[in-house]
Amino acid sequence: PFTTVEPVLGVVRVGQDDFVMMEVPGLLEGAHEGIGLGHEFLRHAERARLYVHMLDGLSEDPVNDYRMINEELEQFNREMAEKRQLVVVNKLDVTEVRELREDIDTCLRKAVGDPAVPITFISAATGEGVPQLLGTMVEYLAVANAEDRESEPEVAITQKPVRQAAPE
């Protein structure tokens, strides 16, 4: 918390694929009401097609952290809470997190409520799990891109006949 103070954009390359990733500072409870820089951060996040919730594995309550973030998204803009999500627990390199992994996973799965939402454990410090996470992100973005193309309205281009000038 509080290590990122403003949104940061970067291009991520995974094999032949690349995408723009935006890191948004952690949201405080009440962000939807403008607490902290909530509105500013949430407006940046509105443009995303996929949310990756990075949870601290050493948090006293990662499940509550996850719920709070989603509540803030929903209260700011219901459509944001309906976007695709990945849930990531960081600090797998810490013994406590590794030992509690199964318990954290079980509790988060109940909170997420959708078995299709992946819960991934990584270590940003060692890189463990990061390649798998990036692969999952590429897959999810490919699906989102395909859905975007399918939902685009078809545009018909018609040409009006050109009037011929009357002969003089």
Side-chain angles (χ1 to χ4, degrees), residues 22-64:
M22 176 177 47
E23 180 182 8
V24 177
L27 296 174
L28 299 174
E29 196 162 357
H32 72 281
E33 296 172 334
I35 290 178
L37 294 173
H39 281 173
E40 182 180 330
F41 297 160
L42 287 164
R43 275 194 295 277
H44 281 287
E46 275 183 304
R47 295 186 286 254
R49 288 192 311 249
L50 169 68
Y51 294 122
V52 179
H53 295 289
M54 185 68 64
L55 302 172
D56 184 341
L58 291 175
S59 169
E60 288 183 24
D61 192 350
V63 172
N64 186 56

Side-chain angles (χ1 to χ4, degrees), residues 49 84 138-152:
R49 288 192 311 249
R84 293 184 181 280
V138 167
E139 290 173 24
Y140 268 57
L141 288 169
V143 170
N145 288 338
E147 289 173 351
D148 286 350
R149 283 190 295 276
E150 287 174 10
S151 67
E152 288 177 359

Side-chain angles (χ1 to χ4, degrees), residues 12-19 49-50 86 131-145:
V12 178
R13 178 169 289 283
V14 181
Q16 298 298 316
D17 299 300
D18 59 31
F19 57 91
R49 288 192 311 249
L50 169 68
L86 301 176
Q132 295 84 353
L133 171 61
L134 292 173
T136 301
M137 291 170 70
V138 167
E139 290 173 24
Y140 268 57
L141 288 169
V143 170
N145 288 338

